[in-house]
Amino acid sequence: MQNQTDYSLILAQLEAMTDADGDTLAILSNASAVLNLNLTDINWVGFYLARNQELILGPFQGKPACIRIPFGKGVCGTAAAAALTQLVADVHEFPGHIACDKASNSEIVVPILSGGTVKAVLDIDSPLPNRFDQSDQAGLERCAEFLGGACRW
């Protein structure tokens, strides 16, 4: 898919909405809104926070979502357990995919690390197959790296 997303602009907006306090809830809430406003052809964007080998739903934009996801389960849990971005062109082909919204067809999940530990994951779904590409992955990984350092975990 041809990607026209300006991740430098998104990163600048995230930086502008971060305060010295580093309040995680406030920063991730604004980040979900910034991403939702700037990314096209998505139907869900948000964060799951890592707690005791489980992901707990955090700030998001979209339909109600799964509240808890064990590490290693689904796309989000796989990203958290491996501490690696998961770029999935067709979620229906992903073993163990957890379908919170049956309208989603592709997904990207980017782990957010602080001190070498997964603190959260950024999850973005699209109704389009193959919506996300390497450009999205690189841009979103830069955003996740920033958020990992900006938040007080």
Side-chain angles (χ1 to χ4, degrees):
M1 157 161 251
Q2 289 290 344
N3 186 345
Q4 302 300 319
T5 304
D6 183 349
Y7 284 101
S8 296
L9 175 63
I10 292 172
L11 191 55
Q13 290 174 345
L14 293 177
E15 291 170 350
M17 294 186 176
T18 303
D19 65 8
D21 185 284
D23 186 273
T24 301
L25 182 61
I27 291 170
L28 296 182
S29 295
N30 272 336
S32 66
V34 165
L35 290 164
N36 191 54
L37 290 170
N38 283 281
L39 298 176
T40 60
D41 298 316
I42 65 169
N43 59 339
W44 200 91
V45 57
F47 299 91
Y48 280 92
L49 307 176
R51 301 285 185 266
N52 302 318
Q53 296 299 299
E54 186 173 57
L55 296 169
I56 309 298
L57 181 63
F60 70 93
Q61 304 276 315
K63 291 182 179 179
C66 303
I67 294 174
R68 295 178 185 275
I69 300 173
F71 273 33
K73 301 292 183 186
V75 182
C76 289
T78 298
L84 293 171
T85 298
Q86 301 296 304
L87 178 64
V88 182
D90 182 351
V91 295
H92 308 291
E93 298 294 320
F94 190 91
H97 173 252
I98 300 168
C100 294
D101 181 354
K102 63 183 177 185
S104 294
N105 287 303
S106 63
E107 183 171 9
I108 187 167
V109 180
V110 182
I112 300 173
L113 287 78
S114 180
T117 302
V118 174
K119 298 297 184 177
V121 297
L122 165 59
D123 180 20
I124 307 174
D125 296 349
S126 173
L128 301 180
N130 203 30
R131 157 59 181 89
F132 307 102
D133 61 19
Q134 296 301 318
S135 173
D136 292 301
Q137 181 172 339
L140 293 168
E141 286 175 346
R142 286 194 317 270
C143 293
E145 183 178 357
F146 169 75
L147 293 169
C151 293
R152 185 186 62 231
W153 302 101

